[in-house]
Amino acid sequence: CPACSSIDGASNERRARLRELVQETSTSGPDGVRGTKAASEMMSLLGQEGLNTQGYRVQACYHAFQCLLRAGSVEEARSWGEEAASHCILCRGVGHGETLMM
């Protein structure tokens, strides 16, 4: 695709950072602030790169959801959880087990 075959240095840097964030959000930590910052940055980079990968969006939002629950920020966690569920529906479908879990 044009995005992947580009030699744009800024794009390469964004994608490298996105790769780091994918790794970071693969494991949930207890820090709600750090978790939401990572998720927000990941969502922003996905948008900047024109990547409509719902699976990574689910991962980012669900990571923030878990971090915020651990931090006791229930209302903010609910918002991220709802966004994760919306992306999960688009990615996996309404009846998928992961979607139903959310």
Side-chain angles (χ1 to χ4, degrees):
C1 73
C4 292
S5 61
S6 170
I7 57 172
D8 178 11
S11 178
N12 290 341
E13 288 177 21
R14 286 190 299 269
R15 287 175 184 242
R17 178 63 181 144
L18 188 56
R19 188 172 32 255
E20 292 171 2
L21 290 166
V22 166
Q23 288 296 318
E24 184 177 331
T25 59
S26 294
T27 58
S28 290
D31 186 347
V33 172
R34 191 168 134 228
T36 56
K37 286 177 95 171
S40 294
E41 184 180 359
M42 191 170 164
M43 296 292 281
S44 176
L45 290 171
L46 288 166
Q48 288 174 41
E49 287 299 300
L51 299 172
N52 201 15
T53 52
Q54 298 301 319
Y56 285 140
R57 292 174 189 275
V58 171
Q59 181 177 331
C61 294
Y62 194 71
H63 176 75
F65 167 76
Q66 290 179 313
C67 290
L68 287 163
L69 275 183
R70 286 189 180 105
S73 300
V74 177
E75 286 304 314
E76 193 175 359
R78 179 177 293 135
S79 175
W80 281 98
E82 289 170 355
E83 189 169 353
S86 294
H87 291 296
C88 199
I89 289 168
L90 292 172
C91 180
R92 295 175 178 89
V94 176
H96 189 274
E98 190 172 333
T99 304
L100 295 173
M101 177 197 70
M102 291 188 188

